[in-house]
Amino acid sequence: LSKDIDYQSVLSEIHNEIAPLIGGGKVANYIPPLAEVPSEKFGMALQCTEGESFSIADGGERFSIQSISKLFALTLAYRHAGASIWERVGREPSGTPFNSLVQLEYEKGIPRNPFINAGALVISDIILGLATDPQNSFLGFLREQSGSSSIKVDEATLRAEKATGHRNRALANLLKDFDNLEHPVEDVLDFYFFQCSVKMNCQELASTCLYLANQGDSPHAGKVISARKAKRINAVMLTCGTYDAAGDFAYRVGLPGKSGVGGGIVAIVPDLMSLCVWSPALNSSGNSYVGTKALELFTTKTHLSIF
Amino acid sequence: LSKDIDYQSVLSEIHNEIAPLIGGGKVANYIPPLAEVPSEKFGMALQCTEGESFSIADGGERFSIQSISKLFALTLAYRHAGASIWERVGREPSGTPFNSLVQLEYEKGIPRNPFINAGALVISDIILGLATDPQNSFLGFLREQSGSSSIKVDEATLRAEKATGHRNRALANLLKDFDNLEHPVEDVLDFYFFQCSVKMNCQELASTCLYLANQGDSPHAGKVISARKAKRINAVMLTCGTYDAAGDFAYRVGLPGKSGVGGGIVAIVPDLMSLCVWSPALNSSGNSYVGTKALELFTTKTHLSIF
Amino acid sequence: LSKDIDYQSVLSEIHNEIAPLIGGGKVANYIPPLAEVPSEKFGMALQCTEGESFSIADGGERFSIQSISKLFALTLAYRHAGASIWERVGREPSGTPFNSLVQLEYEKGIPRNPFINAGALVISDIILGLATDPQNSFLGFLREQSGSSSIKVDEATLRAEKATGHRNRALANLLKDFDNLEHPVEDVLDFYFFQCSVKMNCQELASTCLYLANQGDSPHAGKVISARKAKRINAVMLTCGTYDAAGDFAYRVGLPGKSGVGGGIVAIVPDLMSLCVWSPALNSSGNSYVGTKALELFTTKTHLSIF
Amino acid sequence: LSKDIDYQSVLSEIHNEIAPLIGGGKVANYIPPLAEVPSEKFGMALQCTEGESFSIADGGERFSIQSISKLFALTLAYRHAGASIWERVGREPSGTPFNSLVQLEYEKGIPRNPFINAGALVISDIILGLATDPQNSFLGFLREQSGSSSIKVDEATLRAEKATGHRNRALANLLKDFDNLEHPVEDVLDFYFFQCSVKMNCQELASTCLYLANQGDSPHAGKVISARKAKRINAVMLTCGTYDAAGDFAYRVGLPGKSGVGGGIVAIVPDLMSLCVWSPALNSSGNSYVGTKALELFTTKTHLSIF
């Protein structure tokens, strides 16, 4: 039974077993604030619905959450706008990386899911229409769910994202051309880059995700969304959460998860716990190389795969 | 608790609630043996790991299993050839329907997963290299797992599939061009069409799938594959099992499932039961219109979603 | 012999024969300054290398040259930067319209030719690096070649192009992402929109193109480029000059030509004359519906096809 | 004037100038009969409409005409079925090589032009419906136009084409799936492979093409097609005749041309002559490396570009 597992020992075992893998993969280098993070960093944290929490190694060190932010943006848009969001963004896996732009063109400006950049831009546009101060609403949500009021954006990352975001700017303009952005392109991009530039640590991320492991209701921070919506977000995470490796991640790890190019991955064990692992070097799909392996070891050791 | 659920009543409720939907969707019409099936048919069956089974309406009437066969072919190939199968076929969702051929070309003849036709042709080729009498091995597996020795191929369906299978023949020749078929194209197609042309009923299909709900080990028909492999097949089903609607199916139903254009869908509740639903009219994604709805009602009523 | 042709009569015949076609096609309506042009307008002008010129109907009325400007931009870039331009832009036809963005992605940011928008953006970027005042250089070239000092940009068109150019902005940002733009995206777009917004009439356009019919050397305005380069520009026009209908245009008309969505088309009869026709309603490929027909009648009547 | 040119000297100059290039490129190696041809072979022949002919080096040695056969097949289909052929095949350039299959899918089974393999398969199907003995009609046409009754198919090439033609078999099945083949797939393929396997020499090919340089009417073998159709075939050749390098070929050579992977290229100087060059090693676009260069030298020296 899952109650009988000594999770701290499991984390220790994982920490030992991933040690030889440190050095594999490649840290994202498109902006200096990501490129400068030491590749040997590794942290992992668990937050159980019943209250216990566990952390190891660099589990308390903050990193750039990057695309993990798409999970929280989806939650906020879905909470307030409901199923109407699916008129503007799909919930199907995206196929080959090659297809990002052609897919958008072929499907007339409807991004395949909220976790590819085009879809996250649409979600950003939706949030701009819902919140009077979207940046503060977004930060407020993270601070409230994690219980950590010092969470904030890294300004150097934000500046670098804006300066190099030509491809996201291309996507946003194409969405605008298809009439799937209501707000000015630059406003949408500003909010999108803002979300990506937040820094959090594994403990904070595990805590923030707990509502997804607990029927939409965080034991420590209250009701976020309905149980039905929480399950559905988990389903979208499983099929679309890890770029073009969603199938491989489901196969290896067997949990809904969402990754970011900062090297973080959050994952959910429904009705039991939320997890976060961090190691900055990425595999060829853009997911943390060591992080993916650590989660695979976790489900192998605990038999907590949803399958 | 799931033990306390009265499954027969749940099936009755579902039967009542889907009644108004009968008449929606469209029966596959590319070959007469499928086109001639009355669209108002509906059946559903459950097989619990603990032994109980339930069935309603046309749950005992046989239909063409079509692509559900891909699940059993994958099981046989994976059982005997192990993880080496992933060198010849991927396990990622396939993206837009538009991409079937271009994907194969772009990814140099490696189909994205074993559940798209191209991938199933590769799996057929693998089985041709493993079994001395592949057709009998395949039928034998179905008969053994279901306990029904009368399961067989429908000859009219088989003839029609062969006569109209130009697109599958195109795929097989492209795979051959990429050196991803070892056997002659026509031999691979023959075995592929054979699998698709088997007829089974919901009860038989639920029974046959039970190993996937029970750690790879069928309570009534013995060990099929390892627990690890069973989980992994479930993961591939969830991300790739329902054509280009895998994301939507996960979102709505929340169970690993595999559909066929004959209108059948099998689904797995890990550690609890296997299900099969049948209704021949299809939605725009090629999955049973009423069947998908029935499964959605099932998880809504029982809260048995894996998420 | 072409000398014996009475070109004014040929123009009259064409004018009569196209009359019943007026009303076909559809005027470009993405910006008001184009949408407001009466669809029944028709003009045509010839400029012979030996000095004679002919014009009919609205041949003296100015219209938005739009993509015809790409021909002059290519000339200026090729004149000053030589064959090095082909390192940054191809000279192959572009295939289906569907492919514009995917092609750019597949070919790593190298547009297929200088006459698709992406290629023209690269040419604009090249000119920004060559001229200290690119807008005046461009206008000066048109004024000098046409002998008409009043040629200028239409400000309403320019404003409208900038306001609605989301797709061009998407392309430019994608080119920037591939490092195939040296100047800021907005500077490149500004110059690109400037070129497109120039207004000229058929007589002025025929005169401006005369160097391409005369070995690169305009009889009335001096040497523009080498004979070899002029021939090569004509070759690129023939294979790429009329959007995705280059094959059809070569088949029907048999002359190198460049069209614009303002309804103008220029064409070249090597060693003999340059032509321009204008009629604002477009066929499904985005070329002037009546203009294409008028040019087809011209080569049918005069046997001046290059084939 | 072109009459004053000493063509034999021009051929000698070209022969000298291409000598250092021998050894570049790569002989087609997908079947032994092509792979075994010595890469240093080079021949060239001209056939003037006024009767004179010129040849140099290996101009009298036969080679596999391969895709040059598509030009003659198009002529036969167009002659007998007229413009109706364009309902089943387009006449636009094909864009990137990557697109062959996706294009066919995207455009619902209508190949972009008669010179890509899919288009030539449709043309083959058309000819099967027109001729009672298509193979003899085809051979008869070549023998009559060239005046060489010994022209025939190379049986080893034919066998090898059939044995390795998986991709063409894929295309033909996809065309069949789109209902754009009337005859059985294998019949169409048989006739297609037959055409490709004919062997001819440069002199024979130049003679055979002469009708295209003479308004459809061969001075030595009589009327083939109308002047209008001949011009239109030349236009299709220019825009689509050299695989994905049509733009480059027009730019460099400036003549309508059709190439084959056997290393032959035929070209047309309208109203003056037909040419054929042969050298088996191919450039990356699949056109003869030395042959393309020889034709470029020819138009540079003679100024006979159509532009």
Side-chain angles (χ1 to χ4, degrees):
Chain A
L1 281 178
S2 58
K3 295 190 178 194
D4 305 326
I5 301 173
D6 175 350
Y7 290 112
Q8 196 65 47
S9 298
V10 169
L11 290 185
S12 291
E13 284 176 35
I14 292 171
H15 192 194
N16 288 335
E17 292 179 35
I18 59 90
L21 300 177
I22 294 285
K26 199 166 171 325
V27 176
N29 61 3
Y30 68 96
I31 52 170
L34 292 181
E36 289 158 3
V37 179
S39 64
E40 69 273 16
K41 291 285 182 183
F42 172 79
M44 193 165 180
L46 316 184
Q47 174 65 53
C48 297
T49 56
E50 309 225 323
E52 281 180 301
S53 63
F54 307 88
S55 175
I56 202 165
D58 303 315
E61 178 167 339
R62 288 190 178 150
F63 56 90
S64 189
I65 68 169
Q66 293 291 327
S67 290
I68 298 174
S69 64
K70 294 180 168 75
L71 177 60
F72 307 124
L74 171 63
T75 297
L76 293 176
Y78 195 23
R79 172 162 69 170
H80 295 296
S84 71
I85 64 172
W86 305 120
E87 294 163 19
R88 293 180 56 192
V89 61
R91 48 184 185 248
E92 292 300 331
S94 58
T96 70
F98 174 62
N99 290 318
S100 54
L101 278 159
V102 68
Q103 179 272 324
L104 205 53
E105 186 137 27
Y106 184 66
E107 299 186 277
K108 310 289 182 208
I110 305 297
R112 270 185 96 72
N113 66 63
F115 293 151
I116 56 173
N117 289 11
L121 288 164
V122 170
I123 295 292
S124 290
D125 185 61
I126 291 170
I127 294 176
L128 288 186
L130 295 169
T132 48
D133 185 345
Q135 297 191 354
N136 266 335
S137 298
F138 188 78
L139 270 191
F141 175 77
L142 300 179
R143 288 168 177 169
E144 188 182 356
Q145 294 300 315
S146 66
S148 176
S149 62
S150 65
I151 289 171
K152 62 178 197 295
V153 151
D154 181 67
E155 294 294 338
T157 303
L158 180 54
R159 276 193 307 273
E161 294 286 355
K162 284 189 189 181
T164 61
H166 306 302
R167 183 168 290 253
N168 284 318
R169 203 163 265 113
L171 286 169
N173 275 288
L174 191 56
L175 289 165
K176 189 76 175 174
D177 185 59
F178 278 115
D179 257 336
N180 201 4
L181 289 188
E182 291 174 4
H183 298 83
V185 163
E186 289 303 321
D187 292 1
V188 174
L189 287 166
D190 278 354
F191 182 47
Y192 174 79
F193 290 137
F194 178 88
Q195 298 163 42
C196 294
S197 303
V198 169
K199 291 183 86 167
M200 295 172 74
N201 64 36
C202 289
Q203 295 159 9
E204 290 162 346
L205 279 162
S207 288
T208 302
C209 292
L210 194 58
Y211 65 97
L212 291 169
N214 198 48
Q215 312 276 340
D217 190 354
S218 171
H220 56 261
K223 186 82 175 174
V224 175
I225 45 172
S226 70
R228 187 181 179 84
K229 281 181 178 165
K231 281 174 195 289
R232 292 184 156 188
I233 290 175
N234 287 342
V236 178
M237 257 205 285
L238 192 101
T239 52
C240 315
T242 44
Y243 305 106
D244 307 303
D248 191 61
F249 190 85
Y251 176 90
R252 290 185 186 280
V253 176
L255 296 177
K258 181 74 203 84
S259 60
V261 293
I265 310 176
V266 297
I268 303 298
V269 185
D271 300 319
L272 202 62
M273 69 172 69
S274 49
L275 304 81
C276 180
V277 62
W278 171 54
S279 183
L282 309 177
N283 62 24
S284 60
S285 302
N287 298 308
S288 173
Y289 169 65
V290 167
T292 304
K293 189 65 190 173
L295 289 170
E296 186 179 350
L297 288 169
F298 178 81
T299 48
T300 301
K301 289 174 187 299
T302 61
H303 302 286
L304 289 176
S305 154
I306 61 172
F307 299 111
Chain B
L1 282 178
S2 59
K3 294 190 179 193
D4 305 325
I5 301 173
D6 174 350
Y7 290 112
Q8 196 64 49
S9 298
V10 169
L11 290 185
S12 292
E13 285 175 35
I14 292 172
H15 192 195
N16 288 335
E17 293 179 35
I18 60 91
L21 300 177
I22 294 284
K26 197 165 173 324
V27 176
N29 61 4
Y30 69 96
I31 53 170
L34 292 182
E36 289 158 3
V37 179
S39 63
E40 69 273 16
K41 292 286 182 182
F42 172 79
M44 193 164 179
L46 315 184
Q47 175 64 54
C48 298
T49 56
E50 308 225 325
E52 282 180 301
S53 62
F54 307 88
S55 176
I56 201 164
D58 303 315
E61 180 166 339
R62 286 189 180 153
F63 56 90
S64 191
I65 67 169
Q66 294 290 328
S67 290
I68 298 175
S69 65
K70 294 179 170 76
L71 176 61
F72 308 125
L74 171 63
T75 297
L76 293 176
Y78 194 23
R79 170 161 73 170
H80 295 298
S84 71
I85 64 172
W86 305 121
E87 294 162 22
R88 293 180 56 191
V89 61
R91 48 185 184 245
E92 292 299 332
S94 58
T96 70
F98 174 62
N99 290 317
S100 54
L101 278 159
V102 68
Q103 180 272 325
L104 205 52
E105 187 139 26
Y106 184 65
E107 300 187 278
K108 309 290 182 207
I110 305 297
R112 270 185 94 72
N113 66 63
F115 293 151
I116 55 173
N117 289 11
L121 288 164
V122 170
I123 294 292
S124 290
D125 186 61
I126 290 170
I127 294 176
L128 288 186
L130 295 169
T132 49
D133 186 343
Q135 297 191 353
N136 267 334
S137 298
F138 188 78
L139 269 191
F141 175 78
L142 301 178
R143 289 169 177 168
E144 189 181 354
Q145 293 301 316
S146 65
S148 176
S149 63
S150 66
I151 289 170
K152 63 177 197 294
V153 151
D154 180 67
E155 294 294 339
T157 303
L158 181 55
R159 276 193 306 275
E161 295 286 355
K162 285 189 189 181
T164 60
H166 306 301
R167 183 168 289 254
N168 284 318
R169 204 162 265 111
L171 285 170
N173 275 288
L174 190 56
L175 288 165
K176 190 74 176 175
D177 185 59
F178 277 115
D179 257 337
N180 200 5
L181 289 188
E182 290 174 4
H183 299 84
V185 163
E186 288 304 320
D187 292 2
V188 174
L189 287 165
D190 278 354
F191 182 47
Y192 174 80
F193 291 137
F194 177 89
Q195 298 163 42
C196 294
S197 303
V198 169
K199 290 183 86 167
M200 294 171 74
N201 62 37
C202 289
Q203 295 159 11
E204 291 163 345
L205 279 163
S207 288
T208 302
C209 291
L210 194 57
Y211 65 99
L212 291 169
N214 198 49
Q215 313 276 339
D217 191 353
S218 171
H220 57 260
K223 186 82 176 172
V224 175
I225 44 171
S226 70
R228 186 181 181 85
K229 281 181 177 164
K231 283 176 195 289
R232 292 184 153 188
I233 290 175
N234 287 342
V236 178
M237 257 206 285
L238 191 101
T239 51
C240 316
T242 44
Y243 306 107
D244 307 304
D248 190 62
F249 190 86
Y251 176 90
R252 289 185 186 280
V253 176
L255 296 176
K258 182 73 205 83
S259 60
V261 292
I265 311 176
V266 297
I268 303 298
V269 185
D271 299 320
L272 202 63
M273 69 172 69
S274 49
L275 304 82
C276 181
V277 61
W278 170 54
S279 184
L282 309 178
N283 61 24
S284 60
S285 302
N287 299 308
S288 173
Y289 169 65
V290 167
T292 304
K293 189 65 190 171
L295 289 170
E296 186 179 350
L297 288 168
F298 178 81
T299 47
T300 301
K301 289 174 187 298
T302 61
H303 301 286
L304 288 176
S305 153
I306 61 172
F307 298 112
Chain C
L1 281 177
S2 59
K3 295 192 178 192
D4 305 327
I5 300 173
D6 176 350
Y7 289 112
Q8 196 65 48
S9 299
V10 169
L11 290 185
S12 292
E13 284 176 36
I14 292 171
H15 192 193
N16 288 334
E17 293 178 34
I18 60 89
L21 300 177
I22 294 285
K26 197 163 175 325
V27 175
N29 60 3
Y30 68 97
I31 52 171
L34 291 182
E36 290 158 3
V37 179
S39 64
E40 68 273 17
K41 292 287 181 181
F42 173 78
M44 192 166 182
L46 316 183
Q47 175 65 53
C48 297
T49 56
E50 307 224 325
E52 283 181 300
S53 62
F54 306 89
S55 177
I56 200 163
D58 303 316
E61 180 167 338
R62 286 191 178 148
F63 56 91
S64 191
I65 69 171
Q66 293 291 327
S67 290
I68 299 175
S69 65
K70 294 179 170 76
L71 177 61
F72 307 126
L74 171 63
T75 297
L76 293 177
Y78 194 21
R79 172 161 72 170
H80 295 297
S84 71
I85 64 172
W86 306 120
E87 293 163 19
R88 294 180 55 192
V89 60
R91 49 186 184 245
E92 292 301 330
S94 57
T96 70
F98 173 61
N99 291 316
S100 54
L101 278 160
V102 68
Q103 179 272 324
L104 204 53
E105 187 138 26
Y106 185 64
E107 300 187 276
K108 310 290 181 206
I110 305 296
R112 270 186 96 71
N113 66 63
F115 293 152
I116 56 174
N117 289 11
L121 288 165
V122 170
I123 294 292
S124 290
D125 186 61
I126 290 171
I127 294 177
L128 288 186
L130 295 169
T132 48
D133 186 344
Q135 297 192 353
N136 267 333
S137 298
F138 189 77
L139 269 191
F141 175 77
L142 300 179
R143 289 169 176 169
E144 188 181 357
Q145 293 300 315
S146 66
S148 177
S149 62
S150 65
I151 290 169
K152 63 179 197 294
V153 152
D154 181 67
E155 294 294 340
T157 303
L158 181 53
R159 275 193 305 274
E161 294 286 356
K162 284 189 190 181
T164 61
H166 306 301
R167 185 168 287 255
N168 284 317
R169 202 162 267 113
L171 285 170
N173 275 288
L174 191 56
L175 288 165
K176 189 75 177 176
D177 186 59
F178 277 116
D179 255 338
N180 200 5
L181 289 188
E182 291 174 4
H183 299 83
V185 162
E186 289 303 320
D187 292 2
V188 174
L189 287 166
D190 278 353
F191 182 47
Y192 174 80
F193 290 137
F194 177 89
Q195 299 163 43
C196 294
S197 303
V198 170
K199 291 183 84 167
M200 294 171 74
N201 63 37
C202 288
Q203 295 160 12
E204 290 163 346
L205 279 162
S207 287
T208 302
C209 291
L210 194 58
Y211 66 97
L212 290 169
N214 198 47
Q215 312 276 338
D217 191 353
S218 170
H220 58 260
K223 187 80 177 178
V224 174
I225 45 169
S226 71
R228 187 182 180 85
K229 281 181 177 164
K231 282 174 195 290
R232 292 183 154 188
I233 289 175
N234 287 341
V236 178
M237 258 206 285
L238 192 101
T239 52
C240 315
T242 44
Y243 304 107
D244 306 304
D248 190 62
F249 190 86
Y251 176 90
R252 289 184 187 281
V253 176
L255 297 177
K258 182 73 206 83
S259 59
V261 293
I265 311 176
V266 296
I268 303 298
V269 185
D271 299 320
L272 202 64
M273 70 171 69
S274 49
L275 303 82
C276 181
V277 62
W278 171 53
S279 184
L282 309 178
N283 61 25
S284 61
S285 302
N287 299 308
S288 173
Y289 169 64
V290 167
T292 303
K293 189 64 188 174
L295 289 171
E296 186 179 350
L297 287 169
F298 179 81
T299 48
T300 301
K301 289 174 188 296
T302 61
H303 301 287
L304 289 176
S305 152
I306 62 172
F307 298 112
Chain D
L1 281 177
S2 60
K3 294 190 176 193
D4 303 327
I5 300 172
D6 175 351
Y7 289 111
Q8 196 65 48
S9 297
V10 169
L11 290 186
S12 292
E13 284 176 36
I14 292 171
H15 193 195
N16 288 335
E17 294 179 33
I18 60 90
L21 300 177
I22 295 285
K26 198 163 174 324
V27 176
N29 61 3
Y30 69 97
I31 52 171
L34 291 181
E36 288 158 3
V37 180
S39 64
E40 69 274 17
K41 292 287 180 181
F42 173 79
M44 192 165 182
L46 315 184
Q47 175 64 53
C48 298
T49 56
E50 308 223 324
E52 281 180 301
S53 64
F54 306 89
S55 177
I56 200 164
D58 302 317
E61 181 167 338
R62 287 187 178 151
F63 57 90
S64 191
I65 68 170
Q66 294 290 328
S67 290
I68 298 175
S69 64
K70 294 179 168 77
L71 176 61
F72 307 126
L74 170 63
T75 297
L76 292 176
Y78 194 22
R79 171 161 72 170
H80 295 297
S84 71
I85 63 172
W86 306 120
E87 295 163 19
R88 294 180 55 194
V89 61
R91 50 185 184 246
E92 293 300 331
S94 56
T96 69
F98 173 62
N99 291 316
S100 54
L101 278 160
V102 69
Q103 179 272 325
L104 205 53
E105 187 137 27
Y106 184 65
E107 300 186 279
K108 310 288 183 207
I110 306 296
R112 269 185 94 73
N113 67 63
F115 293 151
I116 56 173
N117 288 10
L121 288 164
V122 170
I123 295 292
S124 290
D125 185 62
I126 291 171
I127 294 176
L128 288 186
L130 295 169
T132 48
D133 186 343
Q135 297 192 353
N136 266 333
S137 298
F138 189 78
L139 268 192
F141 174 77
L142 300 179
R143 289 170 177 168
E144 189 181 354
Q145 293 301 316
S146 66
S148 177
S149 63
S150 66
I151 289 170
K152 63 178 199 294
V153 151
D154 181 67
E155 294 294 339
T157 303
L158 181 54
R159 277 193 305 273
E161 294 286 358
K162 284 188 190 181
T164 61
H166 306 301
R167 184 169 288 254
N168 284 317
R169 202 162 266 113
L171 285 170
N173 275 289
L174 190 56
L175 288 165
K176 190 75 176 176
D177 185 60
F178 277 115
D179 256 336
N180 200 4
L181 288 187
E182 291 175 2
H183 299 84
V185 162
E186 288 304 320
D187 292 2
V188 174
L189 287 166
D190 278 355
F191 182 46
Y192 174 79
F193 291 137
F194 178 88
Q195 299 162 43
C196 294
S197 303
V198 170
K199 291 183 84 167
M200 295 172 74
N201 64 38
C202 289
Q203 295 160 12
E204 291 162 346
L205 279 163
S207 288
T208 301
C209 291
L210 195 58
Y211 66 98
L212 291 169
N214 198 49
Q215 313 276 339
D217 191 352
S218 170
H220 58 259
K223 186 80 176 178
V224 174
I225 44 169
S226 70
R228 187 181 179 85
K229 280 181 177 164
K231 281 175 195 290
R232 291 184 154 188
I233 290 175
N234 287 342
V236 178
M237 257 206 285
L238 192 100
T239 52
C240 316
T242 44
Y243 304 106
D244 306 304
D248 191 62
F249 191 85
Y251 176 91
R252 289 183 186 282
V253 176
L255 297 176
K258 182 74 205 81
S259 60
V261 293
I265 311 176
V266 296
I268 302 299
V269 184
D271 300 319
L272 202 64
M273 70 170 70
S274 48
L275 303 82
C276 182
V277 63
W278 171 53
S279 184
L282 309 177
N283 62 26
S284 60
S285 301
N287 299 306
S288 173
Y289 169 66
V290 167
T292 303
K293 189 66 188 172
L295 289 170
E296 186 179 351
L297 288 169
F298 179 80
T299 47
T300 302
K301 289 173 186 297
T302 61
H303 301 285
L304 289 176
S305 153
I306 62 172
F307 299 112

